[in-house]
Amino acid sequence: MQLMITWKLHLQWPLGYCQKPHSNCDPTIYKPCLFPIHGLWPTLADGNPMKIYLPRLIDGSFKHYDQTLLKNLGTYWPSLKYKDNKSFWIHEYNYHGVAALTEFKNRSENYFKKAVEMVFSKDIIKTIGVVIQGDNTTLQYSDVEAALDGLYEKRNYFLKCYRKGTDNVLSEVGVCYDKLGINNHFCSQKKSPGW
């Protein structure tokens, strides 16, 4: 049995993520300064995510979910490539949330609440968003790093980039937390190669 050690909260930058080959998404429907949630992933001591896929673990109706939570999920956890948000949420929960069922008292709603709480805890989205001015679609590593250094001790985050021609394009920002999801924790991965 795998024991969860920490959390990784992944945030996507739509303008970077949607430029990836085969991404099949439209970045123009999102504000460039919004870094929506990609997922909340329980991780092992080596930094790798725990994965236990259990299809159809949640029914997808989300009828019993708090309306404020559903509104926050629609705003802060939109799908960039699935046909609708609920399909994306089901995918993320079935691949990552179920790996930490005991942490959430076997309630899927608690998984989603925890992700939103983590985003709000330090206003990550707003802090990263100030790096982008106006319609600027180019991010400098040093600017993103400076914004995150202002939030986190010991640089408990990582940047995920990919190569596009001669450029390195930011697609995700990840922040690491302890098992309780409250305190930041050392990330075994600081940034992806190339940047």
Side-chain angles (χ1 to χ4, degrees):
M1 179 177 167
Q2 298 175 316
L3 294 177
M4 186 192 94
I5 305 299
T6 61
W7 292 103
K8 284 186 179 176
L9 178 66
H10 290 252
L11 305 171
Q12 296 174 315
W13 187 44
L15 292 177
Y17 181 83
C18 291
Q19 290 181 46
K20 290 171 67 172
H22 313 294
S23 66
N24 299 323
C25 65
D26 180 6
T28 61
I29 60 175
Y30 302 99
K31 295 179 185 176
C33 63
L34 180 64
F35 277 75
I37 298 169
H38 177 182
L40 176 61
W41 302 347
T43 59
L44 303 169
D46 62 3
N48 288 317
M50 295 176 61
K51 290 185 182 178
I52 303 172
Y53 182 69
L54 298 173
R56 294 189 277 300
L57 190 64
I58 54 178
D59 65 13
S61 68
F62 298 92
K63 289 178 185 175
H64 65 284
Y65 280 37
D66 175 78
Q67 291 304 306
T68 301
L69 174 61
L70 286 174
K71 182 180 176 187
N72 284 334
L73 290 175
T75 301
Y76 299 103
W77 203 332
S79 173
L80 294 181
K81 67 178 189 174
Y82 281 80
K83 62 183 177 182
D84 60 63
N85 291 341
K86 290 180 181 178
S87 296
F88 181 46
W89 302 336
I90 290 168
H91 166 83
E92 285 299 307
Y93 184 77
N94 287 346
Y95 272 92
H96 303 291
V98 296
L101 276 175
T102 57
E103 302 299 319
F104 300 112
K105 300 180 177 144
N106 294 322
R107 293 194 58 210
S108 60
E109 186 174 7
N110 292 339
Y111 167 75
F112 295 107
K113 281 182 182 178
K114 179 54 83 176
V116 172
E117 286 171 8
M118 288 176 169
V119 166
F120 287 160
S121 71
K122 293 195 177 186
D123 209 355
I124 302 167
I125 293 171
K126 182 179 177 185
T127 301
I128 301 170
V130 300
V131 172
I132 305 168
Q133 303 296 322
D135 292 332
N136 185 7
T137 59
T138 303
L139 293 175
Q140 296 298 317
Y141 177 81
S142 58
D143 294 339
V144 176
E145 184 179 53
L148 291 170
D149 282 349
L151 284 182
Y152 303 106
E153 295 178 26
K154 301 178 186 173
R155 305 201 15 198
N156 297 329
Y157 61 87
F158 61 93
L159 304 176
K160 186 174 180 183
C161 308
Y162 65 92
R163 176 80 63 191
K164 182 178 180 184
T166 59
D167 296 325
N168 293 304
V169 180
L170 175 69
S171 62
E172 290 192 0
V173 172
V175 182
C176 300
Y177 289 88
D178 64 10
K179 187 174 181 176
L180 297 176
I182 298 172
N183 300 306
N184 294 108
H185 190 273
F186 175 76
C187 287
S188 61
Q189 173 186 358
K190 288 283 187 174
K191 60 184 178 180
S192 63
W195 229 19

mmCIF file of all heavy atoms in Angstrom, residues 42-87:
data_model
loop_
_atom_site.group_PDB
_atom_site.id
_atom_site.type_symbol
_atom_site.label_atom_id
_atom_site.label_comp_id
_atom_site.label_asym_id
_atom_site.label_seq_id
_atom_site.Cartn_x
_atom_site.Cartn_y
_atom_site.Cartn_z
ATOM 1 N N PRO A 42 -2.051 13.889 -4.583
ATOM 2 C CA PRO A 42 -1.295 13.330 -3.460
ATOM 3 C C PRO A 42 -0.001 12.743 -3.994
ATOM 4 O O PRO A 42 0.022 12.162 -5.079
ATOM 5 C CB PRO A 42 -2.225 12.259 -2.895
ATOM 6 C CG PRO A 42 -3.166 11.930 -3.993
ATOM 7 C CD PRO A 42 -3.247 13.121 -4.887
ATOM 8 N N THR A 43 1.085 12.941 -3.251
ATOM 9 C CA THR A 43 2.383 12.489 -3.746
ATOM 10 C C THR A 43 3.092 11.610 -2.720
ATOM 11 O O THR A 43 2.800 11.648 -1.529
ATOM 12 C CB THR A 43 3.292 13.687 -4.084
ATOM 13 O OG1 THR A 43 3.463 14.482 -2.921
ATOM 14 C CG2 THR A 43 2.683 14.539 -5.178
ATOM 15 N N LEU A 44 4.041 10.881 -3.236
ATOM 16 C CA LEU A 44 4.867 10.001 -2.412
ATOM 17 C C LEU A 44 6.145 10.722 -2.001
ATOM 18 O O LEU A 44 6.410 11.826 -2.455
ATOM 19 C CB LEU A 44 5.207 8.734 -3.203
ATOM 20 C CG LEU A 44 4.000 7.941 -3.710
ATOM 21 C CD1 LEU A 44 4.431 6.878 -4.701
ATOM 22 C CD2 LEU A 44 3.250 7.326 -2.546
ATOM 23 N N ALA A 45 6.946 10.087 -1.184
ATOM 24 C CA ALA A 45 8.187 10.689 -0.683
ATOM 25 C C ALA A 45 9.128 11.098 -1.816
ATOM 26 O O ALA A 45 9.857 12.080 -1.698
ATOM 27 C CB ALA A 45 8.892 9.733 0.269
ATOM 28 N N ASP A 46 9.102 10.371 -2.944
ATOM 29 C CA ASP A 46 9.999 10.695 -4.058
ATOM 30 C C ASP A 46 9.454 11.819 -4.945
ATOM 31 O O ASP A 46 10.065 12.193 -5.927
ATOM 32 C CB ASP A 46 10.279 9.454 -4.896
ATOM 33 C CG ASP A 46 9.037 8.868 -5.554
ATOM 34 O OD1 ASP A 46 7.939 9.462 -5.420
ATOM 35 O OD2 ASP A 46 9.157 7.804 -6.199
ATOM 36 N N GLY A 47 8.286 12.364 -4.592
ATOM 37 C CA GLY A 47 7.704 13.457 -5.353
ATOM 38 C C GLY A 47 6.775 13.027 -6.467
ATOM 39 O O GLY A 47 6.119 13.858 -7.090
ATOM 40 N N ASN A 48 6.701 11.736 -6.743
ATOM 41 C CA ASN A 48 5.812 11.246 -7.798
ATOM 42 C C ASN A 48 4.377 11.182 -7.295
ATOM 43 O O ASN A 48 4.132 10.848 -6.137
ATOM 44 C CB ASN A 48 6.246 9.858 -8.278
ATOM 45 C CG ASN A 48 7.512 9.917 -9.081
ATOM 46 O OD1 ASN A 48 7.680 10.794 -9.921
ATOM 47 N ND2 ASN A 48 8.431 9.003 -8.816
ATOM 48 N N PRO A 49 3.414 11.484 -8.179
ATOM 49 C CA PRO A 49 2.017 11.433 -7.750
ATOM 50 C C PRO A 49 1.541 9.995 -7.533
ATOM 51 O O PRO A 49 1.978 9.085 -8.225
ATOM 52 C CB PRO A 49 1.260 12.080 -8.912
ATOM 53 C CG PRO A 49 2.155 11.959 -10.090
ATOM 54 C CD PRO A 49 3.561 11.928 -9.564
ATOM 55 N N MET A 50 0.668 9.847 -6.552
ATOM 56 C CA MET A 50 0.008 8.567 -6.339
ATOM 57 C C MET A 50 -1.095 8.474 -7.388
ATOM 58 O O MET A 50 -1.801 9.447 -7.631
ATOM 59 C CB MET A 50 -0.623 8.501 -4.949
ATOM 60 C CG MET A 50 0.366 8.530 -3.826
ATOM 61 S SD MET A 50 -0.457 8.577 -2.214
ATOM 62 C CE MET A 50 -1.378 7.058 -2.230
ATOM 63 N N LYS A 51 -1.253 7.322 -8.000
ATOM 64 C CA LYS A 51 -2.315 7.147 -8.990
ATOM 65 C C LYS A 51 -3.031 5.832 -8.728
ATOM 66 O O LYS A 51 -2.428 4.767 -8.723
ATOM 67 C CB LYS A 51 -1.754 7.152 -10.407
ATOM 68 C CG LYS A 51 -1.253 8.503 -10.842
ATOM 69 C CD LYS A 51 -0.816 8.482 -12.275
ATOM 70 C CE LYS A 51 -0.270 9.830 -12.684
ATOM 71 N NZ LYS A 51 0.199 9.859 -14.047
ATOM 72 N N ILE A 52 -4.307 5.952 -8.490
ATOM 73 C CA ILE A 52 -5.166 4.783 -8.343
ATOM 74 C C ILE A 52 -6.425 5.116 -9.111
ATOM 75 O O ILE A 52 -7.214 5.946 -8.667
ATOM 76 C CB ILE A 52 -5.518 4.504 -6.864
ATOM 77 C CG1 ILE A 52 -4.261 4.333 -6.039
ATOM 78 C CG2 ILE A 52 -6.426 3.297 -6.751
ATOM 79 C CD1 ILE A 52 -4.520 4.245 -4.552
ATOM 80 N N TYR A 53 -6.619 4.530 -10.284
ATOM 81 C CA TYR A 53 -7.788 4.887 -11.084
ATOM 82 C C TYR A 53 -8.952 3.976 -10.739
ATOM 83 O O TYR A 53 -8.856 2.758 -10.818
ATOM 84 C CB TYR A 53 -7.478 4.785 -12.579
ATOM 85 C CG TYR A 53 -8.647 5.181 -13.423
ATOM 86 C CD1 TYR A 53 -9.067 6.504 -13.464
ATOM 87 C CD2 TYR A 53 -9.351 4.248 -14.158
ATOM 88 C CE1 TYR A 53 -10.152 6.887 -14.228
ATOM 89 C CE2 TYR A 53 -10.436 4.619 -14.923
ATOM 90 C CZ TYR A 53 -10.837 5.944 -14.954
ATOM 91 O OH TYR A 53 -11.912 6.312 -15.708
ATOM 92 N N LEU A 54 -10.049 4.590 -10.315
ATOM 93 C CA LEU A 54 -11.283 3.871 -10.028
ATOM 94 C C LEU A 54 -12.405 4.534 -10.822
ATOM 95 O O LEU A 54 -12.947 5.554 -10.403
ATOM 96 C CB LEU A 54 -11.612 3.910 -8.539
ATOM 97 C CG LEU A 54 -10.588 3.249 -7.625
ATOM 98 C CD1 LEU A 54 -10.934 3.510 -6.164
ATOM 99 C CD2 LEU A 54 -10.530 1.755 -7.881
ATOM 100 N N PRO A 55 -12.727 4.009 -11.997
ATOM 101 C CA PRO A 55 -13.722 4.666 -12.839
ATOM 102 C C PRO A 55 -15.090 4.751 -12.174
ATOM 103 O O PRO A 55 -15.487 3.880 -11.420
ATOM 104 C CB PRO A 55 -13.772 3.781 -14.086
ATOM 105 C CG PRO A 55 -13.204 2.474 -13.676
ATOM 106 C CD PRO A 55 -12.259 2.752 -12.538
ATOM 107 N N ARG A 56 -15.767 5.846 -12.472
ATOM 108 C CA ARG A 56 -17.122 6.102 -12.009
ATOM 109 C C ARG A 56 -17.264 6.074 -10.496
ATOM 110 O O ARG A 56 -18.280 5.660 -9.960
ATOM 111 C CB ARG A 56 -18.102 5.133 -12.669
ATOM 112 C CG ARG A 56 -18.202 5.374 -14.167
ATOM 113 C CD ARG A 56 -19.296 4.612 -14.812
ATOM 114 N NE ARG A 56 -19.070 3.243 -15.194
ATOM 115 C CZ ARG A 56 -18.156 2.795 -16.049
ATOM 116 N NH1 ARG A 56 -17.327 3.606 -16.589
ATOM 117 N NH2 ARG A 56 -18.077 1.540 -16.359
ATOM 118 N N LEU A 57 -16.228 6.502 -9.796
ATOM 119 C CA LEU A 57 -16.320 6.547 -8.346
ATOM 120 C C LEU A 57 -17.294 7.636 -7.894
ATOM 121 O O LEU A 57 -17.992 7.479 -6.912
ATOM 122 C CB LEU A 57 -14.946 6.778 -7.720
ATOM 123 C CG LEU A 57 -14.914 6.612 -6.216
ATOM 124 C CD1 LEU A 57 -15.250 5.176 -5.829
ATOM 125 C CD2 LEU A 57 -13.573 6.972 -5.651
ATOM 126 N N ILE A 58 -17.338 8.737 -8.628
ATOM 127 C CA ILE A 58 -18.357 9.745 -8.347
ATOM 128 C C ILE A 58 -19.293 9.785 -9.546
ATOM 129 O O ILE A 58 -18.882 9.568 -10.683
ATOM 130 C CB ILE A 58 -17.747 11.141 -8.054
ATOM 131 C CG1 ILE A 58 -16.821 11.616 -9.164
ATOM 132 C CG2 ILE A 58 -17.009 11.118 -6.739
ATOM 133 C CD1 ILE A 58 -16.243 12.994 -8.915
ATOM 134 N N ASP A 59 -20.550 10.033 -9.299
ATOM 135 C CA ASP A 59 -21.546 9.910 -10.364
ATOM 136 C C ASP A 59 -21.580 11.085 -11.329
ATOM 137 O O ASP A 59 -22.168 10.993 -12.393
ATOM 138 C CB ASP A 59 -22.935 9.662 -9.781
ATOM 139 C CG ASP A 59 -23.456 10.842 -8.967
ATOM 140 O OD1 ASP A 59 -22.870 11.943 -9.038
ATOM 141 O OD2 ASP A 59 -24.454 10.650 -8.268
ATOM 142 N N GLY A 60 -20.995 12.186 -10.972
ATOM 143 C CA GLY A 60 -20.932 13.315 -11.887
ATOM 144 C C GLY A 60 -22.087 14.280 -11.771
ATOM 145 O O GLY A 60 -22.104 15.307 -12.434
ATOM 146 N N SER A 61 -23.051 13.983 -10.938
ATOM 147 C CA SER A 61 -24.179 14.904 -10.814
ATOM 148 C C SER A 61 -23.817 16.100 -9.940
ATOM 149 O O SER A 61 -24.307 17.204 -10.165
ATOM 150 C CB SER A 61 -25.393 14.189 -10.215
ATOM 151 O OG SER A 61 -25.142 13.847 -8.862
ATOM 152 N N PHE A 62 -22.980 15.892 -8.955
ATOM 153 C CA PHE A 62 -22.535 16.946 -8.041
ATOM 154 C C PHE A 62 -23.718 17.631 -7.341
ATOM 155 O O PHE A 62 -23.597 18.742 -6.861
ATOM 156 C CB PHE A 62 -21.656 17.986 -8.758
ATOM 157 C CG PHE A 62 -20.387 17.416 -9.327
ATOM 158 C CD1 PHE A 62 -20.345 16.950 -10.630
ATOM 159 C CD2 PHE A 62 -19.243 17.345 -8.561
ATOM 160 C CE1 PHE A 62 -19.176 16.414 -11.148
ATOM 161 C CE2 PHE A 62 -18.069 16.811 -9.079
ATOM 162 C CZ PHE A 62 -18.033 16.339 -10.374
ATOM 163 N N LYS A 63 -24.869 16.966 -7.294
ATOM 164 C CA LYS A 63 -26.086 17.556 -6.711
ATOM 165 C C LYS A 63 -25.940 17.861 -5.223
ATOM 166 O O LYS A 63 -26.504 18.827 -4.735
ATOM 167 C CB LYS A 63 -27.280 16.626 -6.921
ATOM 168 C CG LYS A 63 -27.736 16.549 -8.357
ATOM 169 C CD LYS A 63 -28.887 15.580 -8.513
ATOM 170 C CE LYS A 63 -29.251 15.421 -9.973
ATOM 171 N NZ LYS A 63 -30.276 14.418 -10.171
ATOM 172 N N HIS A 64 -25.196 17.037 -4.518
ATOM 173 C CA HIS A 64 -25.058 17.234 -3.070
ATOM 174 C C HIS A 64 -23.968 18.239 -2.698
ATOM 175 O O HIS A 64 -23.786 18.558 -1.541
ATOM 176 C CB HIS A 64 -24.796 15.898 -2.375
ATOM 177 C CG HIS A 64 -23.485 15.281 -2.755
ATOM 178 N ND1 HIS A 64 -23.283 14.649 -3.957
ATOM 179 C CD2 HIS A 64 -22.306 15.238 -2.095
ATOM 180 C CE1 HIS A 64 -22.033 14.222 -4.024
ATOM 181 N NE2 HIS A 64 -21.409 14.572 -2.913
ATOM 182 N N TYR A 65 -23.260 18.765 -3.699
ATOM 183 C CA TYR A 65 -22.181 19.709 -3.433
ATOM 184 C C TYR A 65 -22.739 21.081 -3.066
ATOM 185 O O TYR A 65 -23.746 21.533 -3.616
ATOM 186 C CB TYR A 65 -21.279 19.858 -4.659
ATOM 187 C CG TYR A 65 -20.276 18.758 -4.843
ATOM 188 C CD1 TYR A 65 -20.577 17.437 -4.533
ATOM 189 C CD2 TYR A 65 -19.025 19.027 -5.344
ATOM 190 C CE1 TYR A 65 -19.658 16.424 -4.731
ATOM 191 C CE2 TYR A 65 -18.093 18.018 -5.545
ATOM 192 C CZ TYR A 65 -18.428 16.722 -5.231
ATOM 193 O OH TYR A 65 -17.515 15.725 -5.414
ATOM 194 N N ASP A 66 -22.070 21.758 -2.190
ATOM 195 C CA ASP A 66 -22.401 23.111 -1.796
ATOM 196 C C ASP A 66 -22.350 24.018 -3.029
ATOM 197 O O ASP A 66 -21.417 23.928 -3.836
ATOM 198 C CB ASP A 66 -21.382 23.564 -0.730
ATOM 199 C CG ASP A 66 -21.551 25.000 -0.339
ATOM 200 O OD1 ASP A 66 -22.477 25.285 0.435
ATOM 201 O OD2 ASP A 66 -20.745 25.829 -0.825
ATOM 202 N N GLN A 67 -23.331 24.899 -3.186
ATOM 203 C CA GLN A 67 -23.405 25.771 -4.361
ATOM 204 C C GLN A 67 -22.229 26.742 -4.449
ATOM 205 O O GLN A 67 -21.764 27.064 -5.542
ATOM 206 C CB GLN A 67 -24.735 26.534 -4.380
ATOM 207 C CG GLN A 67 -25.933 25.632 -4.645
ATOM 208 C CD GLN A 67 -25.792 24.845 -5.944
ATOM 209 O OE1 GLN A 67 -25.574 25.407 -7.012
ATOM 210 N NE2 GLN A 67 -25.900 23.527 -5.849
ATOM 211 N N THR A 68 -21.734 27.204 -3.319
ATOM 212 C CA THR A 68 -20.564 28.087 -3.329
ATOM 213 C C THR A 68 -19.352 27.335 -3.859
ATOM 214 O O THR A 68 -18.566 27.878 -4.651
ATOM 215 C CB THR A 68 -20.282 28.642 -1.917
ATOM 216 O OG1 THR A 68 -21.431 29.356 -1.478
ATOM 217 C CG2 THR A 68 -19.065 29.559 -1.915
ATOM 218 N N LEU A 69 -19.200 26.077 -3.445
ATOM 219 C CA LEU A 69 -18.086 25.273 -3.941
ATOM 220 C C LEU A 69 -18.206 25.084 -5.452
ATOM 221 O O LEU A 69 -17.215 25.235 -6.181
ATOM 222 C CB LEU A 69 -18.037 23.914 -3.237
ATOM 223 C CG LEU A 69 -17.000 22.929 -3.776
ATOM 224 C CD1 LEU A 69 -15.586 23.484 -3.623
ATOM 225 C CD2 LEU A 69 -17.120 21.589 -3.073
ATOM 226 N N LEU A 70 -19.390 24.761 -5.949
ATOM 227 C CA LEU A 70 -19.569 24.564 -7.391
ATOM 228 C C LEU A 70 -19.234 25.846 -8.165
ATOM 229 O O LEU A 70 -18.613 25.781 -9.227
ATOM 230 C CB LEU A 70 -20.992 24.113 -7.699
ATOM 231 C CG LEU A 70 -21.306 22.664 -7.328
ATOM 232 C CD1 LEU A 70 -22.781 22.359 -7.530
ATOM 233 C CD2 LEU A 70 -20.451 21.701 -8.134
ATOM 234 N N LYS A 71 -19.617 26.989 -7.628
ATOM 235 C CA LYS A 71 -19.284 28.257 -8.281
ATOM 236 C C LYS A 71 -17.767 28.459 -8.312
ATOM 237 O O LYS A 71 -17.200 28.850 -9.337
ATOM 238 C CB LYS A 71 -19.962 29.413 -7.559
ATOM 239 C CG LYS A 71 -19.719 30.749 -8.194
ATOM 240 C CD LYS A 71 -20.402 31.875 -7.451
ATOM 241 C CE LYS A 71 -20.031 33.194 -8.089
ATOM 242 N NZ LYS A 71 -20.509 34.331 -7.326
ATOM 243 N N ASN A 72 -17.109 28.188 -7.185
ATOM 244 C CA ASN A 72 -15.649 28.318 -7.125
ATOM 245 C C ASN A 72 -14.961 27.344 -8.068
ATOM 246 O O ASN A 72 -13.965 27.695 -8.716
ATOM 247 C CB ASN A 72 -15.146 28.118 -5.699
ATOM 248 C CG ASN A 72 -15.411 29.319 -4.822
ATOM 249 O OD1 ASN A 72 -15.516 30.439 -5.301
ATOM 250 N ND2 ASN A 72 -15.537 29.092 -3.522
ATOM 251 N N LEU A 73 -15.472 26.120 -8.160
ATOM 252 C CA LEU A 73 -14.884 25.145 -9.082
ATOM 253 C C LEU A 73 -15.024 25.625 -10.525
ATOM 254 O O LEU A 73 -14.088 25.505 -11.318
ATOM 255 C CB LEU A 73 -15.537 23.772 -8.916
ATOM 256 C CG LEU A 73 -15.218 23.028 -7.631
ATOM 257 C CD1 LEU A 73 -16.025 21.730 -7.551
ATOM 258 C CD2 LEU A 73 -13.738 22.733 -7.511
ATOM 259 N N GLY A 74 -16.180 26.179 -10.871
ATOM 260 C CA GLY A 74 -16.372 26.693 -12.226
ATOM 261 C C GLY A 74 -15.433 27.835 -12.555
ATOM 262 O O GLY A 74 -14.979 27.984 -13.686
ATOM 263 N N THR A 75 -15.107 28.642 -11.553
ATOM 264 C CA THR A 75 -14.221 29.793 -11.753
ATOM 265 C C THR A 75 -12.752 29.403 -11.712
ATOM 266 O O THR A 75 -11.964 29.811 -12.569
ATOM 267 C CB THR A 75 -14.480 30.868 -10.679
ATOM 268 O OG1 THR A 75 -15.847 31.277 -10.762
ATOM 269 C CG2 THR A 75 -13.560 32.068 -10.868
ATOM 270 N N TYR A 76 -12.368 28.614 -10.715
ATOM 271 C CA TYR A 76 -10.956 28.335 -10.464
ATOM 272 C C TYR A 76 -10.478 26.967 -10.946
ATOM 273 O O TYR A 76 -9.285 26.688 -10.900
ATOM 274 C CB TYR A 76 -10.653 28.482 -8.965
ATOM 275 C CG TYR A 76 -10.928 29.874 -8.479
ATOM 276 C CD1 TYR A 76 -12.071 30.169 -7.746
ATOM 277 C CD2 TYR A 76 -10.068 30.917 -8.800
ATOM 278 C CE1 TYR A 76 -12.336 31.462 -7.328
ATOM 279 C CE2 TYR A 76 -10.331 32.209 -8.389
ATOM 280 C CZ TYR A 76 -11.467 32.475 -7.653
ATOM 281 O OH TYR A 76 -11.732 33.756 -7.252
ATOM 282 N N TRP A 77 -11.401 26.095 -11.396
ATOM 283 C CA TRP A 77 -11.006 24.768 -11.872
ATOM 284 C C TRP A 77 -11.735 24.443 -13.171
ATOM 285 O O TRP A 77 -12.358 23.402 -13.307
ATOM 286 C CB TRP A 77 -11.298 23.719 -10.814
ATOM 287 C CG TRP A 77 -10.510 22.455 -10.912
ATOM 288 C CD1 TRP A 77 -9.974 21.877 -12.024
ATOM 289 C CD2 TRP A 77 -10.175 21.574 -9.834
ATOM 290 N NE1 TRP A 77 -9.345 20.709 -11.716
ATOM 291 C CE2 TRP A 77 -9.446 20.502 -10.371
ATOM 292 C CE3 TRP A 77 -10.431 21.602 -8.473
ATOM 293 C CZ2 TRP A 77 -8.973 19.449 -9.584
ATOM 294 C CZ3 TRP A 77 -9.964 20.558 -7.702
ATOM 295 C CH2 TRP A 77 -9.248 19.501 -8.252
ATOM 296 N N PRO A 78 -11.666 25.350 -14.169
ATOM 297 C CA PRO A 78 -12.338 25.063 -15.440
ATOM 298 C C PRO A 78 -11.524 24.078 -16.273
ATOM 299 O O PRO A 78 -10.317 23.976 -16.126
ATOM 300 C CB PRO A 78 -12.386 26.430 -16.118
ATOM 301 C CG PRO A 78 -11.139 27.102 -15.630
ATOM 302 C CD PRO A 78 -10.983 26.641 -14.198
ATOM 303 N N SER A 79 -12.208 23.383 -17.145
ATOM 304 C CA SER A 79 -11.524 22.462 -18.049
ATOM 305 C C SER A 79 -10.973 23.228 -19.246
ATOM 306 O O SER A 79 -11.663 24.055 -19.837
ATOM 307 C CB SER A 79 -12.500 21.397 -18.538
ATOM 308 O OG SER A 79 -11.885 20.610 -19.534
ATOM 309 N N LEU A 80 -9.734 22.941 -19.586
ATOM 310 C CA LEU A 80 -9.157 23.537 -20.789
ATOM 311 C C LEU A 80 -9.337 22.633 -22.005
ATOM 312 O O LEU A 80 -9.207 23.089 -23.132
ATOM 313 C CB LEU A 80 -7.667 23.814 -20.589
ATOM 314 C CG LEU A 80 -7.303 24.862 -19.549
ATOM 315 C CD1 LEU A 80 -5.794 25.037 -19.484
ATOM 316 C CD2 LEU A 80 -7.980 26.178 -19.831
ATOM 317 N N LYS A 81 -9.614 21.339 -21.791
ATOM 318 C CA LYS A 81 -9.721 20.462 -22.953
ATOM 319 C C LYS A 81 -10.888 19.484 -22.918
ATOM 320 O O LYS A 81 -11.244 18.937 -23.949
ATOM 321 C CB LYS A 81 -8.413 19.712 -23.180
ATOM 322 C CG LYS A 81 -8.034 18.707 -22.135
ATOM 323 C CD LYS A 81 -6.740 18.003 -22.535
ATOM 324 C CE LYS A 81 -6.445 16.837 -21.618
ATOM 325 N NZ LYS A 81 -5.302 16.078 -22.055
ATOM 326 N N TYR A 82 -11.503 19.258 -21.768
ATOM 327 C CA TYR A 82 -12.666 18.362 -21.731
ATOM 328 C C TYR A 82 -13.900 19.102 -22.214
ATOM 329 O O TYR A 82 -13.949 20.326 -22.205
ATOM 330 C CB TYR A 82 -12.891 17.833 -20.307
ATOM 331 C CG TYR A 82 -11.965 16.706 -19.947
ATOM 332 C CD1 TYR A 82 -10.670 16.957 -19.546
ATOM 333 C CD2 TYR A 82 -12.385 15.393 -20.036
ATOM 334 C CE1 TYR A 82 -9.798 15.929 -19.223
ATOM 335 C CE2 TYR A 82 -11.532 14.350 -19.716
ATOM 336 C CZ TYR A 82 -10.238 14.625 -19.316
ATOM 337 O OH TYR A 82 -9.392 13.603 -19.016
ATOM 338 N N LYS A 83 -14.928 18.356 -22.616
ATOM 339 C CA LYS A 83 -16.133 18.973 -23.162
ATOM 340 C C LYS A 83 -16.867 19.832 -22.139
ATOM 341 O O LYS A 83 -17.562 20.767 -22.491
ATOM 342 C CB LYS A 83 -17.067 17.918 -23.741
ATOM 343 C CG LYS A 83 -17.572 16.917 -22.712
ATOM 344 C CD LYS A 83 -18.440 15.849 -23.316
ATOM 345 C CE LYS A 83 -18.838 14.866 -22.215
ATOM 346 N NZ LYS A 83 -19.620 13.793 -22.697
ATOM 347 N N ASP A 84 -16.716 19.505 -20.878
ATOM 348 C CA ASP A 84 -17.331 20.313 -19.831
ATOM 349 C C ASP A 84 -16.510 20.169 -18.551
ATOM 350 O O ASP A 84 -15.690 19.263 -18.418
ATOM 351 C CB ASP A 84 -18.792 19.909 -19.592
ATOM 352 C CG ASP A 84 -18.939 18.465 -19.163
ATOM 353 O OD1 ASP A 84 -18.425 18.103 -18.080
ATOM 354 O OD2 ASP A 84 -19.580 17.691 -19.895
ATOM 355 N N ASN A 85 -16.732 21.085 -17.625
ATOM 356 C CA ASN A 85 -15.971 21.086 -16.372
ATOM 357 C C ASN A 85 -16.175 19.807 -15.571
ATOM 358 O O ASN A 85 -15.221 19.268 -15.007
ATOM 359 C CB ASN A 85 -16.346 22.295 -15.527
ATOM 360 C CG ASN A 85 -15.866 23.594 -16.113
ATOM 361 O OD1 ASN A 85 -14.970 23.618 -16.947
ATOM 362 N ND2 ASN A 85 -16.471 24.681 -15.695
ATOM 363 N N LYS A 86 -17.400 19.334 -15.498
ATOM 364 C CA LYS A 86 -17.689 18.157 -14.675
ATOM 365 C C LYS A 86 -16.913 16.928 -15.146
ATOM 366 O O LYS A 86 -16.436 16.149 -14.329
ATOM 367 C CB LYS A 86 -19.190 17.881 -14.623
ATOM 368 C CG LYS A 86 -19.932 18.933 -13.811
ATOM 369 C CD LYS A 86 -21.415 18.659 -13.749
ATOM 370 C CE LYS A 86 -22.120 19.740 -12.940
ATOM 371 N NZ LYS A 86 -23.563 19.534 -12.902
ATOM 372 N N SER A 87 -16.769 16.768 -16.448
ATOM 373 C CA SER A 87 -15.979 15.638 -16.968
ATOM 374 C C SER A 87 -14.530 15.730 -16.500
ATOM 375 O O SER A 87 -13.906 14.731 -16.152
ATOM 376 C CB SER A 87 -16.015 15.604 -18.495
ATOM 377 O OG SER A 87 -17.315 15.370 -18.960
#
